[in-house]
């Protein structure tokens, strides 16, 4: 029987919930808003299935990519509505063309992030763009298995820990499954996200537009854009946004993100996607500040599928991609201020983020000035 003694040892992937033959595991939120499995002991038959599929208890081996690319979608509209280069859409459209199903993270009617699927190209727009909140997997793994057993193509996209959870749940390879994960900094609390939305929209007006990676001012200085029918709730640089500040200060990531078990390719995804930060040094000729994707092709199956696409691409190396994306290998450091945030959050809400962020920024500026003086002397 699965027993979680330390919250850092659970990624919330839902594999245990999905595999339980008695359905005696419930995923319940803790005081930080993250879901954890809770076992109904009176129904448990102690079969051990939940332990067998846990990717934390059974981490996979390190895996490095076969090839690395800087790439982007040839459709500029798709590219501008994507987080980076729009390569995910190219992958997903090929799956749809083959009569398959695409799973990804989307916003629901309450603007919380959930995993859902589409069988139509028109449904792919919901999966585009970054969503800096941990998604609720729900029954996605069960749905993936159902479609695979129907011999359909399936693309499952998610964070590395979610892909690892799916792989452990399935417990076998499928020729028509393509797994795609993202370079992950860490997943913020759904509770904090909801609190932030409530703070900027106290009248509960209907939100019609929400983009966490608005690129109208450029890919490298992306912003956040949240609007109702009649009001701009927030439009500006992400660096000036209260929610983004707390996220980038690592104040409310899931505890497992500070000791992620899926780094260094341990998700065993077929393809990893991210932003090719530093493209101006690697391939300056294609740097137009509209978004360039980092593509890591990790498996022969991923290679065969990726080579069937018509995307603009340039070869790169893993070292070049890693330089701008240390999250490929390194977990986010646990900040000292995290404990303070959660102590103050129940009473102050998002107000405490500003105070903590200003203090962190002051410390960082002082450190920069100290380094500068050392260099000058």
């Amino acid at each position: 029987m699965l027993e979680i003694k330390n919250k850092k040892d659970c990624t919330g992937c839902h594999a245990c919930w999905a595999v339980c033959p008695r359905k005696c595991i419930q995923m319940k939120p803790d005081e930080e808003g993250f879901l954890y499995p809770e076992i109904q002991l009176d129904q448990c038959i102690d079969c051990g299935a939940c332990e067998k599929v846990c990717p934390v208890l059974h981490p996979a081996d390190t895996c490095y990519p076969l090839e690395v690319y800087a790439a982007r979608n040839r459709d500029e509209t798709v590219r501008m509505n994507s987080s980076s280069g729009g390569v995910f859409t190219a992958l997903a459209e090929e799956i749809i063309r083959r009569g398959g199903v695409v799973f990804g993270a989307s916003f629901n009617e309450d603007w919380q992030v959930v995993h859902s699927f589409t069988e139509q190209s028109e449904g792919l727009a919901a999966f585009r763009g970054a969503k800096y909140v941990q998604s609720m997997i729900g029954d996605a793994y069960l749905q993936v298995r159902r479609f695979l057993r129907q011999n359909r193509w399936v693309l499952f996209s998610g964070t590395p820990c979610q892909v690892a959870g799916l792989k452990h749940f399935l417990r076998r390879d499928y020729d028509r499954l393509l797994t795609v994960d993202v370079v992950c900094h860490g997943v913020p609390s759904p509770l904090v996200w909801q609190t932030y939305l409530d703070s900027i929209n106290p009248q509960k007006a209907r939100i019609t537009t929400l983009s966490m990676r608005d690129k109208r001012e450029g890919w490298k200085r992306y912003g956040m854009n949240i609007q109702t029918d009649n009001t701009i709730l927030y439009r500006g640089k992400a660096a000036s946004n209260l929610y983004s500040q707390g996220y980038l200060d690592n104040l409310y990531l899931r505890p497992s993100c500070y000791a992620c078990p899926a780094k260094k390719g341990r998700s065993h995804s077929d393809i990893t996607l991210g932003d090719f930060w530093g493209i101006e040094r690697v391939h300056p000729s294609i740097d137009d500040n509209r978004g360039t994707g980092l593509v890591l092709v990790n498996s022969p199956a991923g290679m065969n599928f990726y080579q069937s696409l018509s995307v603009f691409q340039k070869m790169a190396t893993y070292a070049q991609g890693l330089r701008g994306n240390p999250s490929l290998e390194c977990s986010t450091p646990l900040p000292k201020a995290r404990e303070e945030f959660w102590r103050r959050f129940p009473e102050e809400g998002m107000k405490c983020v500003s105070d903590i962020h200003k203090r962190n920024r002051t410390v960082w500026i002082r450190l920069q000035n100290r380094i500068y003086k050392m260099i000058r002397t």
Side-chain angles (χ1 to χ4, degrees):
M1 182 176 65
L2 195 65
E3 184 179 2
I4 299 171
K5 296 181 179 180
N6 192 319
K7 288 185 176 180
K8 73 176 180 61
D9 295 327
C10 176
T11 66
C13 73
H14 278 63
C16 59
W17 176 88
V19 80
C20 180
R22 296 297 296 270
K23 301 303 176 189
C24 65
I25 298 179
Q26 297 180 1
M27 299 298 292
K28 294 191 173 182
D30 69 349
E31 66 279 1
E32 296 182 354
F34 295 110
L35 296 177
Y36 290 88
E38 185 176 292
I39 300 174
Q40 309 301 306
L41 297 178
D42 59 331
Q43 301 175 41
C44 178
I45 58 175
D46 203 22
C47 66
C50 55
E51 292 181 332
K52 293 175 183 176
V53 300
C54 177
V56 177
L57 292 178
H58 307 285
D61 294 332
T62 297
C63 178
Y64 291 100
L66 303 177
E67 289 188 1
V68 178
Y69 298 92
R72 63 192 189 207
N73 201 301
R74 295 184 185 276
D75 186 323
E76 283 299 303
T77 300
V78 168
R79 184 180 170 213
M80 285 303 295
N81 287 314
S82 302
S83 298
S84 52
V87 176
F88 165 78
T89 298
L91 293 166
E93 286 178 338
E94 177 61 20
I95 288 285
I96 298 293
R97 190 189 69 78
R98 298 184 186 191
V101 186
V102 177
F103 285 77
S106 61
F107 288 112
N108 64 13
E109 63 276 5
D110 297 319
W111 295 99
Q112 288 293 328
V113 183
V114 299
H115 252 72
S116 57
F117 69 86
T118 184
E119 301 173 72
Q120 306 294 328
S121 294
E122 293 76 13
L124 297 178
F127 300 148
R128 294 188 195 118
K131 300 167 183 73
Y132 299 125
V133 190
Q134 181 164 37
S135 70
M136 292 176 276
I137 284 288
D139 64 354
Y141 294 170
L142 296 170
Q143 297 278 20
V144 167
R145 187 175 65 182
R146 177 172 67 87
F147 286 123
L148 289 172
R149 287 176 173 176
Q150 295 172 1
N151 200 33
R152 297 191 56 188
W153 278 93
V154 174
L155 185 158
F156 179 88
S157 62
T159 61
C161 62
Q162 290 171 338
V163 170
L166 173 64
K167 292 263 190 174
H168 280 70
F169 165 73
L170 292 174
R171 289 179 285 183
R172 54 157 289 193
D173 293 328
Y174 286 86
D175 292 338
R176 295 197 168 193
L177 172 64
L178 184 74
T179 54
V180 178
D181 62 5
V182 295
V183 180
C184 183
H185 171 84
V187 290
S189 161
L191 172 63
V192 175
W193 171 242
Q194 186 62 61
T195 301
Y196 170 72
L197 287 181
D198 291 343
S199 71
I200 64 170
N201 187 26
Q203 302 303 317
K204 304 288 186 181
R206 187 177 72 94
I207 295 175
T208 56
T209 301
L210 199 160
S211 173
M212 291 182 165
R213 289 286 297 272
D214 188 285
K215 295 195 292 189
R216 281 178 294 183
E217 299 298 322
W219 167 55
K220 298 174 185 177
R221 292 185 178 272
Y222 62 85
M224 186 178 285
N225 181 22
I226 307 176
Q227 301 181 42
T228 67
D229 285 314
N230 305 309
T231 306
I232 297 175
L233 298 175
Y234 182 87
R235 181 190 286 172
K237 294 179 180 178
S240 303
N241 177 267
L242 200 60
Y243 180 80
S244 298
Q245 288 173 351
Y247 166 56
L248 295 174
D249 284 346
N250 307 320
L251 297 179
Y252 33 79
L253 304 183
R254 189 180 181 96
S256 60
C257 296
Y258 305 108
C260 178
K263 297 295 183 185
K264 297 184 179 181
R266 290 189 177 93
S267 71
H268 283 206
S269 65
D270 296 303
I271 294 173
T272 298
L273 300 178
D275 295 277
F276 206 124
W277 302 123
I279 189 63
E280 67 277 5
R281 295 186 300 272
V282 179
H283 290 299
S285 63
I286 66 171
D287 176 29
D288 60 1
N289 199 25
R290 293 168 64 86
T292 301
L294 172 67
V295 181
L296 310 182
V297 183
N298 304 319
S299 70
M303 182 68 70
N304 288 336
F305 196 91
Y306 181 74
Q307 288 178 342
S308 70
L309 305 182
S310 176
V311 294
F312 177 85
Q313 64 184 29
K314 294 270 191 179
M315 289 288 295
T317 67
Y318 178 65
Q320 289 168 337
L322 178 63
R323 190 173 298 117
N325 289 275
S327 293
L328 282 167
E329 296 194 357
C330 301
S331 295
T332 298
L334 176 65
K336 294 180 180 179
R338 187 182 192 276
E339 183 179 345
E340 177 189 349
F341 169 80
W342 285 109
R343 186 176 66 251
R344 296 172 59 178
F345 178 73
E347 292 292 329
E348 301 178 39
M350 298 303 294
K351 293 179 181 178
C352 64
V353 173
S354 179
D355 180 36
I356 295 172
H357 179 73
K358 287 179 181 177
R359 190 172 68 236
N360 288 344
R361 181 170 175 76
T362 299
V363 171
W364 174 238
I365 290 174
R366 287 176 180 172
L367 179 60
Q368 285 181 313
N369 289 338
R370 187 179 303 174
I371 294 172
Y372 177 75
K373 288 180 181 178
M374 291 173 63
I375 294 173
R376 295 279 293 180
T377 58

